[in-house]
Amino acid sequence: SLAKNGRVTLVGRRPLPVAQTLITPEGEVLTRSVPTLLLDRLPSLTADVVHLATKAYAADAAHAAIAPRLAPGTPLVLWQNGFDCQPRLNERHDGPVLCATTTEGAWLAGDDRVVHAGHGVTFLGDLANHHLPLARSLATTLAAAGLTTEAVPDIRIRLWRKLAVNAAINPLVARFRIRNGQLRDRPFRPMVEAVIEEVAAIMAAEGIAPPDGAGAAGWRVLVWQVVAGTAANRASMLQDVLAGRPTEREAILGPLLAAARRHGIEAPRLVELVRAIPDGPR
């Protein structure tokens, strides 16, 4: 999407085809040339911005590999699920660090193909709210690429909200190997509702309200809105399970369970999901 309007270089751990195809939610097939560099042969880079789009468990290592090759002060955007690596990389990076949280739905159909399964909204900001002008500039760039984006001063709260939604969707679709939309059917719907109940209690203890401020009912509305908007999507955790890759269960469920322990809240369904999701080889 970004390659429509500017120069984009993809940095990865293995070679990828230069011709990359995006299938839009409307079924349009777009193919563009995206140059690829290998992480272990990376030259010094001059970049306007670096988007770190790894899994949460790989973010620290990827940043450590690329950071010495960047000019001082290069902005970094973190696209990881959960709320684990963001505070660490915010302290470690030599330059502004923005965090993104998105409800865009997409899945990989191969090394040269991405299916954009559902439109969503992306929020962008930094944890200390020191770089709102930069966030606004990047939000404009993302919006021009077709991704509805808003710069916000409260990205920390929004990361927690996304964490809550992910916890109610990703582990269940990964456990039962279903698409997001199937969560609306039995026997899965009561399972989602039970997870939402636990997550809502934890969020209340942390002082995190859903967008409409309506308590537990607000969390239900938010989760089911995302399920409907990404009904055809294969959640990232499901893709990882099917491919035998490590999952982001710790990045998504870990912060919630840590918060539950801090506040003395029982969360048996979240504990069960941690045990039920295979972590895969590292």
Side-chain angles (χ1 to χ4, degrees):
S1 296
L2 287 169
K4 289 189 299 185
N5 302 316
R7 189 168 69 91
V8 174
T9 300
L10 183 63
V11 178
R13 290 169 294 205
R14 54 188 171 83
L16 293 174
V18 172
Q20 290 288 325
T21 297
L22 176 70
I23 301 174
T24 72
E26 295 74 30
E28 187 178 5
V29 179
L30 307 174
T31 300
R32 292 189 175 86
S33 294
V34 182
T36 302
L37 295 175
L38 293 180
L39 196 57
D40 59 357
R41 305 176 198 168
L42 199 60
S44 296
L45 295 177
T46 300
D48 294 327
V49 61
V50 172
H51 293 275
L52 194 65
T54 67
K55 296 290 186 178
Y57 55 76
D60 290 272
H63 177 262
I66 199 171
R69 296 168 172 84
L70 298 175
T74 300
L76 177 71
V77 183
L78 303 176
W79 290 85
Q80 284 66 41
N81 281 326
F83 191 54
D84 179 39
C85 65
Q86 290 90 342
R88 289 195 304 273
L89 293 181
N90 183 63
E91 294 295 324
R92 193 176 301 162
H93 183 67
D94 179 17
V97 177
L98 301 182
C99 301
T101 174
T102 186
T103 53
E104 298 282 351
W107 52 278
L108 291 171
D111 278 356
D112 65 345
R113 190 166 299 255
V114 174
V115 178
H116 186 182
H119 293 294
V121 177
T122 298
F123 295 104
L124 197 63
D126 70 285
L127 296 179
N129 195 27
H130 290 161
H131 303 293
L132 193 57
L134 174 63
R136 287 174 177 153
S137 175
L138 287 174
T140 299
T141 299
L142 290 166
L147 304 173
T148 301
T149 307
E150 180 184 347
V152 296
D154 58 349
I155 194 64
R156 184 184 297 270
I157 291 174
R158 293 175 188 272
L159 287 170
W160 272 103
R161 287 174 178 167
K162 176 66 184 301
L163 182 68
V165 172
N166 279 344
I169 296 175
N170 282 20
L172 285 169
V173 298
R175 180 179 182 180
F176 295 104
R177 305 192 176 199
I178 57 176
R179 292 182 187 261
N180 290 8
Q182 291 175 265
L183 290 174
R184 295 174 291 191
D185 305 325
R186 287 191 174 273
F188 310 115
R189 190 178 190 95
M191 298 179 191
V192 177
E193 292 286 348
V195 172
I196 292 172
E197 184 178 345
E198 290 187 358
V199 169
I202 296 169
M203 292 292 101
E206 284 288 309
I208 306 295
D212 62 6
W219 290 116
R220 280 195 288 275
V221 170
L222 180 59
V223 168
W224 291 118
Q225 282 178 342
V226 174
V227 169
T230 61
N233 193 34
R234 295 176 183 170
S236 58
M237 192 177 290
L238 171 59
Q239 295 179 55
D240 292 336
V241 168
L242 293 176
R245 294 189 297 255
T247 69
E248 293 181 305
R249 67 178 189 182
E250 295 299 330
I252 293 173
L253 298 174
L256 287 168
L257 289 172
R261 288 191 294 271
R262 284 197 302 272
H263 298 289
I265 297 172
E266 296 292 327
R269 294 171 183 87
L270 294 178
V271 171
E272 180 187 3
L273 285 173
V274 170
R275 293 170 178 166
I277 304 300
D279 197 29
R282 296 262 171 186

